[in-house]
Amino acid sequence: MAETKGGPSTAGDVASVPRKSSWKYIGPGIVVAATGVGAGDLVATLIAGSNFGYTLLWAAVIGCVVKISLAEAAGRWHLSTGRTLFDGWASLGRWTTWFFVVYVVVWGFAYGAAAMSSSGLPLQALFPDVMGLKWWAMCTGVVGLVFVWFNKYAVFEKVMTVLVGVMFVVTVYLAIRVTPNLPDAFAGLLPVLPDEKDSVLNTLGLIGGVGGTITLAAYGYWVNAKGWTHPGWMKVMRLDNRVAYVTTGVFVVAMLFVGAEMLHSANVAIASGDKGLVQLGDILEKEYGTATAKLFLIGFFATSFTSLIGVWHGVSLMFADFVEHYRKPAVRGDGAAPAAGDGPRAAEGRAVPAADRSPAPVADGPSTPAAGAAGEGAAGRSGEEVASGARERSLPFRAYLLWLTFPPMILLFEGQPFRLIIIYGVLGAAFMPFLALTLIWLLNSSRTPAQWRNGWISNGMLAVAGVLFLVLCVKQITDQDWSSFF
């Protein structure tokens, strides 16, 4: 997807033997696809199919392409610099840190309740006489906590892969079961807007809503957790990323087919939010029998629970990285190239502890952009620390896991305070333009080795994403009931 500038290889590239693209390496992409497609995404696509038939199929496809460019940029930053995304944000100024802290604290509190409730709904529908929704929701949160707490990335990835397989089988089976009108579906690939009020904003909302928000930023962390820490993995990462959003595309297109055939054709409306999927289960039971309805609810649970444990793992990694960044002094942040005495680890773009380094020799000539970029790549070894599993064992990682699980349980019983809902909505809307625009900044600067900086295609895709999400952010802010807030 992303075209990058050519140029001389940096030291990190010389030491990093390129890996061939191979399906056997696929993993982080499956994780980001499973986490990014939650119950809310399926409902939004289902309602789009219900309201407009196949007309907005093209928008769902474009949404996947936009997210490919964002995730590829995040992964490219991690691999080309050896630094994490938060390291990059911190280099842009304190404002990024303040935004991130407020975002993960408020967002995590509200999202925790939403994720647990979404995972509890299908279980309550499958086992209505066992216990109430709130207790099912709390159980899923605690199970997610225990699973992520005691398992490393490798086990986490395997479980996510199994659950994605369940999601894939269920959504594709439903799409086939409703017998889609293929000529109409192919016609839906032509970019046509529905003849409705606010059709442009609704279309942009569907494009922007496909396949995750903060989980796109977490993709680079999962790339590192897989053990990919240098540019030699770039081709593998790009294949992995494309697999992620092809998988996402299958999920959302399948649900749009179901909405177009089952709901649009019969003029049936369902509720927005997770409860819309429970309603769909009832409709499927009437149309195709109990077995199909139960299978759908199992797929619904797999969709919701993968989002839950994905956020529990990925965003906790990001929070741990944020804390560790400020607990340890920056290493080699002066922009100088790695010294010869630093050894092979420095050549790979990794930082070397001060005790292991030889004094840097005096430069023989002026610094080059490549040397500056290499120095920036050596500014921290955060990517290596994620790969080692140190972040997953850290106190900040586990503290944020607890924050996602237990405080939000209050909201399951008390409901979400009105002001919290508004702040949550605004912060959530602001994160995606923040991500797109900071990636443009980082990947066009000397912080990134010249060979891996953005080319015109990458810049164009990220700019489109930034403008798209900025428009949606403004809409989200203007739609809030600010008079009641104050």
Side-chain angles (χ1 to χ4, degrees), residues 27 62 116-117 120 157-158 170 190 227 241 247 364 432 449 452:
I62 288 180
M116 288 187 281
S117 179
E157 183 189 287
K158 286 181 173 64
V170 171
L190 296 175
N241 178 46
T247 305
D364 294 329
M432 290 306 289
W452 302 112

Side-chain angles (χ1 to χ4, degrees), residues 5 85 106 112 121 274 314 345 347 390 398 417 438 442 458:
K5 294 180 180 178
L85 188 54
V106 176
L121 269 172
D274 301 340
R345 283 186 293 171
R398 290 176 171 175
T438 53
L442 290 169
S458 298

